[in-house]
Amino acid sequence: MTRPTSAYVDYRVSVAYIGSVLKYLAAAPLFPLLLAVFYGEDPLPFVAGSAVMLAVGVLFERAHDTNDEDALGNREAFLVVSLAWLVVPLAGTVPYLVAGTGTVAGPVNALFESMSGFTTTGATVLGEISVARHGHAMLMWRQLTQWLGGMGILVLMVAILPELSVGGAQVMDQESPGLSLNKLTPRIQKTARVLWAIYVGFTLLAAVVYYSLHLLDVAPNMDLYNAVAHALTTMPTGGFSPKARSVEAFAPAVQWAVMPFMLVAGTNFALFWYVLRGEPRRLVENAEFRSYLLAVVAFGALVSALLFVGVGLDATPANVDVIPGNAENSLRQGLFQVIGVVTTTGYASMDFNTWDASTQTIILFAYFLGGSAGSAAGSIKIVRWVLVEKAVVRSLFTSVHPDAVRPVRLGDEPVDEDTILSVFTFVVLFLALFAASTVLLYLDTLRTPELSLTGLEAMSAAIATLGNVGPGFGPIGPMNSFEPFSNAGKLYMVFLMWIGRLEVVSVLVILTPSFWRS
Amino acid sequence: MTRPTSAYVDYRVSVAYIGSVLKYLAAAPLFPLLLAVFYGEDPLPFVAGSAVMLAVGVLFERAHDTNDEDALGNREAFLVVSLAWLVVPLAGTVPYLVAGTGTVAGPVNALFESMSGFTTTGATVLGEISVARHGHAMLMWRQLTQWLGGMGILVLMVAILPELSVGGAQVMDQESPGLSLNKLTPRIQKTARVLWAIYVGFTLLAAVVYYSLHLLDVAPNMDLYNAVAHALTTMPTGGFSPKARSVEAFAPAVQWAVMPFMLVAGTNFALFWYVLRGEPRRLVENAEFRSYLLAVVAFGALVSALLFVGVGLDATPANVDVIPGNAENSLRQGLFQVIGVVTTTGYASMDFNTWDASTQTIILFAYFLGGSAGSAAGSIKIVRWVLVEKAVVRSLFTSVHPDAVRPVRLGDEPVDEDTILSVFTFVVLFLALFAASTVLLYLDTLRTPELSLTGLEAMSAAIATLGNVGPGFGPIGPMNSFEPFSNAGKLYMVFLMWIGRLEVVSVLVILTPSFWRS
Ligand SMILES: [K+]
Ligand SMILES: [K+]
C-alpha cells in the first residue's frame, strides 16, 4: 500500500468497502436465528439485525465501485479500518434493541455490549447473565460478535496494519504468510484464508474438547450449547460467557482444558501456518513466542506461589479454606487468571477481587503485556515490550561505547530504526491514554453514587477497556458488570475499546487535520 | 568526551575525582559552624562533618593523578557522576549523626535526609521541624545541602550529561555556553563558572527580596535567617524549609514573592546567560521555555478555577471558608502549588491533602512535567515531553504520507533521530521505574501498620522521590514526613532519589555487565 497518496480523501471508496463488510455480516444473525427457532424463542431480533445489515450494506456499497482497487489509497484504508469498527458494532446493537430485554434495551448499553463484543473486549453491561433471562439465541449472538470480531482483527493485525506501518506493526510482517504478494487485495485474501482456516480449526477443536468433557461426565454443565459458546469466545481472546460466574461455573477439568486454548489464541497465528507446513521450529524458535511463554510461566508461578502460601488472598473469603496449601488448586487459579489476563481473554476461574494487593498488582501489570502480535489479543503486546527492552539495553551499551553500531535484532533479523521509533511512540501513546483515561473515569465515578472506585479499580477500568481485556477489579470484576457507570463513562469506554482495538494510531491518524488536507 | 574507551574501567581515576569534590565540600560545614558559634549551639557536628570530608577527600585523591585528563574516559566519567551522588550524601550524614537529635540520629533516616538534600528532593524524615528542637545551625546545614546539590546538578545537566548523551540530554547542548571548547575539563570549568555566577546571583536576589518583605513589615517572621534559609532552597528547586508548615507559615506577600523565584529556578540557566549578553530574545523565543510557561499557566489556571468555584477542595477543611469565591486566594493557592510541583521545588503554601480528587490528580500529572532541562529541576522535564509530542505528530503524519521526510524540530534546529530515540528510552524507563516503585512502596506500607497509603498516595511517594519533587499526598504530604516508612522503604526511596537525580540512565549504565567488560 505504498501507492501515491491521492489528492483528497475519497471517503466514498471507504464507505463502499464497509458496505461489503456489512453485506457479508448479514449472514451472521442466521446462526442465532436457527437457535431461536430450535429453542422456541423470539426470532425477530435476528431477522431485524440481518435485514438492517443487508440494507445498509447494499446502500453503502453503491457509494463506489469496490473493484477499482487503485482507488483505495493509504488514507482511504485508514478510514475503512477505523469506521468499520464503528459501523459494525452499531449494526450489532439491532438484536439487543429489538429484543428489548434487560439493561441492553437501552441504546448506550447496547452499544457498549456490541462494541465490547466486536472488539473482543468482554466487558459487559448485561445485568443478569442467564439463559432464563435473555434466551439461548441472544446469548449466542453475544458470543458470536466476539468470534466475528476476532476474524476481522486477525486480518487487520497480520495483513492491513503492517502495510500501514502502524505502531511498529511492521515487525509482524516477518512472520506473515504471502509476503511475496504486493497488491493489497490478493495479499489480504490469501492471508485471510490461511488465518481463518486456522481460526476455524482451533474453534472446532475447542468445542470438541469442551464437549467431550461433558460426554465423559467430568463436566455435567458443559453441554453442547456451552461448549460451542465458549469455543466462540476463546479463540478471539474474547471472554464473554453465557454463565454469570464465567469459567468458575465449570469443573476444574474444564478450567485446565480452557488454558491451552487461551494460550493458542494469544499466539501469532502465522506461526501455526509454519507448523502446518512442517516447520514447527519456526514456532518454538520465535522470539516473541518464547517471551510470551516466559511471561506466562513467570507471572503464573509467582501468583500461584503467593496463593499456595496464603499471602495472595484476602483473609475473608471462603476460598481461603480450599486454596492455600492445595497445590493443584493454587496452580490452577494462579495460571488461569494470569493466562486469562495476559492473552486479554478475560475469562476467570475465580473472582480475583478476593485476592490481596500483592497478587492484584501483579495482575494489573499483566494487563499491559497483551499476548502476541498476529493474534486477536489486545493491549500493548509482548513483541513491543521485547523491542523496548532490547532498545533500552542497546541504548545503555552505546552510552558507554558511543562508536559502536548495533542494530536491535528480533530473532536473527535486524529491526529497522523507524520500527523501533514507532514502537516507542505506540507505547508512550498507549500509556498516556491509559493515564488520562484513569483520571477521567475516576472523576466520572465520583459523580456516580452507585459506583465507588478506588484508584486501582479506576486504573483497571481504563486498561481493561483500552487493552480489550474485559473485566477489571472490584465492582467491575469478572463476575460483575460495567452497568453502574454513567452514560458518559460508558461512551468513553466505547471509545477506549475502539481506539485500543485499532492500535490507537489508526484512529489518531484520521483525527489529525493533516489527514484531510490534500 | 568521545575519546576512545580504555581497555578496562580505571575506577581509581573516578575515586580521585570524587576525592577532589569531597575536599572542596569540606568548606561547606563552616557556614553552619559559624551559625552554631553565633547562636551558642553545639559546633561539634560541623567540625566533625568538615573533618571527615577533608580526610576522606585527601585519601581518595591519592588514588590517581587528577591532572591526567586523558585517564578520564567515558566510563570513568559515568562512575564519577554516579558515585559522587552516593559518597557526598553519605558524608553529609555526619552532622546529623554526631548531633544525635531526633529521628535523624538513626543512620537510615540520616542518609534519607542527606540524600534528599543533595539531590534537591526535599522529602523529609525529620519528625519535628523546629529551631527549638534542632537549632539554627543544623537546620541551615539541611538547607545548605540542597543549595550545594543544586550547584552540582547544574554542572551535571549542562556540561556533563550532554557529553555522555544521557537520555537525550544532547538537546540541552544547543543552548549551552562554551560550545566551541572540546576538552571536557576546560569546558566544564567555563560553563560551571557562568552558571554558578547566575545561581549565586539569583540566590542573593531571592534572599534580599524575601528579607525586604520583613523590613517592610509585610512578613514579620521572614527574618534574615529565614530569608537566607529559603533563598538557599528556592534556587536549587529544593524545597526544604526550617518551618514545619513550609511557606504556608509566611504571609501571602511572601508566597507571591517565592513564585517568580521558583519559576526562575525551573528555567534553563543557560538562557539567562544570553539575557546577560544582551540577547533576551533567546529566552522568550526558546521552545522549551514557552512550553514551560504554558504548562504553568494552563495547570495553574485550571486548579485556581476549581478552587475558586469550590469544586477542587474537600468539603471538610477550614480552608473552604476562605478560598472559594476569593480570587486572590484561589489564584495564589492554585498557582503556588502548581509552580511548586512543576518546578519540582516542592514548597507548599497550603496542604493539598485538603484538595479533592480532581485537583489532586491534576497535581499528580504536574509531578511528571519537571521544569526545564539545564536547571536543577528533576522529573522528566518539559523539553522531553515537547520532543515526544512532536515525534508522535510526525509519526501520525508519516503514517499517511509514507514518503514524506520530516525531521523533528526544536525551535529552528532539526533534532537528531538518535536523540529522539534516547528521549523515548528515557521516558519509558522513567515510567516503568515509577510503576514498579509504586507497587513496591505500596506493598511495603502494607507491612507497616503506622502507615496506610492509598494507591494514589503510593504513586505520589514514588514520583515525589524518583522525580526529586519532595512531598507526596496524604500521610507524606508537604506538612508531613516520610518517617513512618520502614527502613527498607526508606532505603529504596534513597535509591529512587539517587537514580532519578542522575537521569536514570547514568546509574543503569554502570549496573550493566557490559560496562565492566573490556
Ligand atoms: K478480551
Ligand atoms: K525538590
Side-chain angles (χ1 to χ4, degrees):
Chain A
M1 209 178 305
T2 46
R3 71 197 67 200
T5 312
S6 54
Y8 63 101
V9 183
D10 192 353
Y11 66 90
R12 294 168 309 154
V13 182
S14 313
V15 168
Y17 270 87
I18 293 168
S20 293
V21 172
L22 276 180
K23 209 176 66 178
Y24 288 109
L25 196 70
L30 301 184
F31 175 43
L33 178 61
L34 283 176
L35 285 186
V37 172
F38 177 79
Y39 287 104
E41 296 163 0
D42 183 9
L44 186 65
F46 312 105
V47 174
S50 189
V52 168
M53 288 169 194
L54 192 63
V56 177
V58 169
L59 193 72
F60 275 21
E61 256 194 341
R62 292 196 181 172
H64 200 273
D65 177 10
T66 51
N67 288 320
D68 176 12
E69 285 163 23
D70 288 330
L72 191 73
N74 218 341
R75 294 189 284 182
E76 288 77 14
F78 272 112
L79 213 53
V80 171
V81 164
S82 295
L83 291 187
W85 256 275
L86 268 189
V87 173
V88 168
L90 275 170
T93 62
V94 173
Y96 299 128
L97 295 173
V98 171
T101 307
T103 52
V104 286
V108 173
N109 282 339
L111 180 59
F112 186 99
E113 201 74 8
S114 185
M115 183 61 90
S116 179
F118 283 104
T119 57
T120 79
T121 303
T124 183
V125 288
L126 265 191
E128 186 195 331
I129 304 177
S130 74
V131 169
R133 178 90 168 115
H134 291 278
H136 294 83
M138 186 57 76
L139 289 187
M140 192 60 89
W141 169 245
R142 184 166 163 268
Q143 305 292 115
L144 188 61
T145 57
Q146 295 206 317
W147 193 75
L148 296 167
M151 291 188 92
I153 289 148
L154 282 178
V155 174
L156 184 72
M157 293 295 172
V158 181
I160 304 178
L161 293 187
E163 302 265 342
L164 296 174
S165 301
V166 165
Q170 304 93 303
V171 293
M172 305 170 204
D173 234 16
Q174 295 177 6
E175 301 294 352
S176 297
L179 259 183
S180 57
L181 295 166
N182 277 322
K183 279 282 201 185
L184 176 68
T185 313
R187 186 191 144 89
I188 285 191
Q189 283 175 355
K190 183 183 175 192
T191 308
R193 249 183 268 125
V194 171
L195 294 179
W196 288 348
I198 295 168
Y199 186 70
V200 170
F202 274 119
T203 305
L204 287 174
L205 186 60
V208 168
V209 170
Y210 297 168
Y211 188 52
S212 64
L213 292 172
H214 173 79
L215 296 178
L216 293 167
D217 262 345
V218 178
N221 57 350
M222 186 50 95
D223 53 20
L224 186 59
Y225 177 86
N226 274 301
V228 171
H230 286 89
L232 285 180
T233 58
T234 308
M235 290 323 296
T237 72
F240 273 160
S241 167
K243 296 283 187 187
R245 307 280 311 167
S246 189
V247 184
E248 192 194 53
F250 298 98
V254 172
Q255 296 168 12
W256 280 114
V258 168
M259 287 189 231
F261 284 106
M262 287 198 287
L263 278 176
V264 163
T267 304
N268 188 340
F269 274 45
L271 296 174
F272 295 120
W273 188 68
Y274 291 111
V275 175
L276 289 175
R277 288 206 324 189
E279 298 175 62
R281 296 177 62 108
R282 291 289 289 264
L283 173 67
V284 294
E285 286 174 358
N286 181 267
E288 183 178 30
F289 184 69
R290 285 161 169 257
S291 304
Y292 167 58
L293 284 192
L294 183 69
V296 166
V297 169
F299 277 69
L302 186 58
V303 170
S304 297
L306 287 168
L307 294 179
F308 184 76
V309 298
V311 170
L313 285 161
D314 258 5
T316 40
N319 287 316
V320 168
D321 298 332
V322 293
I323 293 177
N326 182 329
E328 186 274 338
N329 210 342
S330 305
L331 192 64
R332 174 162 45 85
Q333 303 294 12
L335 263 184
F336 193 100
Q337 268 55 243
V338 164
I339 294 175
V341 170
V342 169
T343 61
T344 74
T345 306
Y347 280 150
S349 68
M350 73 179 284
D351 194 342
F352 45 60
N353 296 321
T354 63
W355 291 10
D356 89 328
S358 65
T359 36
Q360 283 196 359
T361 43
I362 294 165
I363 290 291
L364 185 70
F365 279 105
Y367 272 81
F368 291 86
L369 294 180
S372 310
S375 74
S379 201
I380 289 179
K381 296 191 188 71
I382 311 270
V383 70
R384 290 204 179 90
W385 289 120
V386 171
L387 284 177
V388 163
E389 187 260 335
K390 284 173 185 278
V392 165
V393 168
R394 195 251 315 249
S395 162
L396 295 180
F397 184 83
T398 51
S399 291
V400 182
H401 306 279
D403 301 325
V405 176
R406 286 219 303 195
V408 167
R409 286 174 186 283
L410 197 65
D412 296 329
E413 295 290 311
V415 179
D416 197 48
E417 294 298 321
D418 279 354
T419 304
I420 294 170
L421 199 56
S422 296
V423 167
F424 272 106
T425 304
F426 175 87
V427 171
V428 167
L429 271 177
F430 190 94
L431 294 179
L433 198 54
F434 160 72
S437 301
T438 297
V439 172
L440 289 174
L441 290 173
Y442 182 69
L443 295 180
D444 184 57
T445 62
L446 291 182
R447 296 171 215 308
T448 313
E450 318 83 275
L451 187 66
S452 158
L453 294 190
T454 65
L456 191 77
E457 287 158 8
M459 280 191 225
S460 80
I463 185 63
T465 48
L466 178 64
N468 302 115
V469 181
F473 293 156
I476 50 171
M479 282 71 175
N480 292 300
S481 160
F482 284 66
E483 210 285 318
F485 270 97
S486 73
N487 278 341
K490 285 176 202 165
L491 287 175
Y492 184 72
M493 287 185 284
V494 164
F495 167 76
L496 287 184
M497 292 189 268
W498 177 58
I499 196 171
R501 187 70 279 178
L502 296 168
E503 308 271 290
V504 184
V505 176
S506 330
V507 172
L508 287 187
V509 159
I510 67 162
L511 297 178
T512 54
S514 73
F515 177 82
W516 298 97
R517 259 180 257 130
S518 65
Chain B
M1 207 178 302
T2 47
R3 71 198 63 203
T5 311
S6 52
Y8 62 101
V9 183
D10 192 353
Y11 66 90
R12 295 167 310 152
V13 181
S14 312
V15 169
Y17 269 87
I18 292 168
S20 294
V21 172
L22 276 181
K23 210 176 66 178
Y24 287 111
L25 196 70
L30 301 183
F31 175 43
L33 178 62
L34 282 176
L35 285 186
V37 172
F38 178 79
Y39 286 106
E41 295 163 2
D42 183 10
L44 187 64
F46 312 105
V47 173
S50 188
V52 168
M53 288 170 194
L54 192 63
V56 177
V58 169
L59 192 74
F60 275 21
E61 255 195 341
R62 293 198 180 169
H64 200 272
D65 177 11
T66 51
N67 287 320
D68 176 12
E69 286 162 24
D70 288 329
L72 191 74
N74 218 340
R75 294 191 283 183
E76 287 78 13
F78 271 112
L79 213 53
V80 171
V81 163
S82 294
L83 290 188
W85 255 276
L86 266 189
V87 173
V88 167
L90 275 171
T93 61
V94 174
Y96 299 129
L97 295 174
V98 172
T101 308
T103 52
V104 285
V108 172
N109 282 338
L111 180 60
F112 186 99
E113 199 75 8
S114 185
M115 183 62 89
S116 178
F118 282 105
T119 56
T120 80
T121 303
T124 185
V125 289
L126 266 190
E128 186 195 329
I129 304 177
S130 75
V131 168
R133 178 92 168 111
H134 290 280
H136 294 81
M138 187 57 77
L139 288 187
M140 192 61 88
W141 168 246
R142 185 166 162 267
Q143 306 291 117
L144 189 61
T145 57
Q146 294 205 317
W147 193 74
L148 296 168
M151 290 187 92
I153 289 148
L154 282 178
V155 174
L156 184 73
M157 292 295 172
V158 181
I160 304 178
L161 292 187
E163 301 265 343
L164 295 175
S165 301
V166 165
Q170 304 93 304
V171 292
M172 307 171 201
D173 234 17
Q174 295 177 5
E175 299 295 352
S176 297
L179 258 184
S180 56
L181 295 167
N182 277 321
K183 280 283 203 183
L184 175 66
T185 312
R187 186 191 144 89
I188 285 193
Q189 283 175 356
K190 182 180 176 197
T191 307
R193 249 183 267 126
V194 171
L195 295 179
W196 288 349
I198 295 168
Y199 186 69
V200 171
F202 273 119
T203 305
L204 286 173
L205 186 61
V208 167
V209 169
Y210 297 168
Y211 187 52
S212 66
L213 293 172
H214 173 78
L215 296 178
L216 293 168
D217 264 345
V218 178
N221 56 351
M222 186 50 93
D223 53 19
L224 186 58
Y225 177 85
N226 273 301
V228 171
H230 286 89
L232 286 179
T233 59
T234 308
M235 290 323 296
T237 71
F240 273 161
S241 166
K243 296 285 187 188
R245 306 281 309 169
S246 187
V247 184
E248 191 194 55
F250 300 99
V254 171
Q255 296 167 11
W256 280 114
V258 168
M259 286 188 231
F261 284 106
M262 287 198 288
L263 279 177
V264 162
T267 304
N268 187 342
F269 273 46
L271 295 174
F272 295 121
W273 188 68
Y274 291 112
V275 175
L276 289 175
R277 288 206 324 191
E279 297 176 63
R281 296 178 61 109
R282 293 287 290 262
L283 173 67
V284 294
E285 286 175 357
N286 181 267
E288 182 178 31
F289 184 69
R290 285 161 170 258
S291 303
Y292 166 58
L293 285 192
L294 183 69
V296 166
V297 168
F299 277 70
L302 186 58
V303 171
S304 298
L306 287 168
L307 294 178
F308 184 77
V309 298
V311 170
L313 286 160
D314 258 4
T316 40
N319 287 316
V320 167
D321 297 334
V322 294
I323 293 178
N326 181 328
E328 187 274 338
N329 210 342
S330 304
L331 193 63
R332 175 161 47 84
Q333 304 294 10
L335 263 185
F336 194 99
Q337 267 57 242
V338 164
I339 295 175
V341 170
V342 169
T343 62
T344 73
T345 306
Y347 280 151
S349 68
M350 74 179 285
D351 195 340
F352 44 61
N353 295 321
T354 64
W355 291 10
D356 89 327
S358 66
T359 38
Q360 283 196 0
T361 43
I362 294 166
I363 290 291
L364 185 70
F365 279 105
Y367 272 81
F368 291 86
L369 293 180
S372 309
S375 73
S379 202
I380 288 179
K381 297 192 187 69
I382 311 271
V383 70
R384 290 203 179 91
W385 288 120
V386 171
L387 284 177
V388 163
E389 186 261 334
K390 283 172 185 279
V392 165
V393 168
R394 196 248 316 245
S395 162
L396 295 180
F397 184 83
T398 51
S399 291
V400 182
H401 306 279
D403 302 324
V405 176
R406 285 219 304 195
V408 167
R409 288 175 184 280
L410 196 64
D412 295 330
E413 296 289 311
V415 179
D416 196 48
E417 294 297 320
D418 279 354
T419 305
I420 293 170
L421 198 56
S422 297
V423 166
F424 272 106
T425 305
F426 176 88
V427 171
V428 168
L429 270 178
F430 190 94
L431 294 179
L433 199 53
F434 159 72
S437 302
T438 297
V439 172
L440 289 175
L441 291 173
Y442 182 69
L443 295 181
D444 184 58
T445 62
L446 290 183
R447 298 174 211 307
T448 313
E450 319 84 273
L451 187 66
S452 158
L453 294 189
T454 66
L456 191 76
E457 288 159 6
M459 280 191 224
S460 80
I463 186 62
T465 48
L466 177 63
N468 302 115
V469 181
F473 293 156
I476 50 170
M479 283 68 175
N480 291 301
S481 160
F482 284 65
E483 211 286 316
F485 270 99
S486 73
N487 278 341
K490 285 177 200 165
L491 287 174
Y492 184 73
M493 286 186 283
V494 164
F495 168 76
L496 286 183
M497 293 190 266
W498 177 59
I499 196 170
R501 186 70 280 180
L502 296 169
E503 308 271 292
V504 184
V505 177
S506 330
V507 172
L508 287 187
V509 159
I510 66 161
L511 296 179
T512 52
S514 74
F515 178 82
W516 298 97
R517 258 181 257 130
S518 64

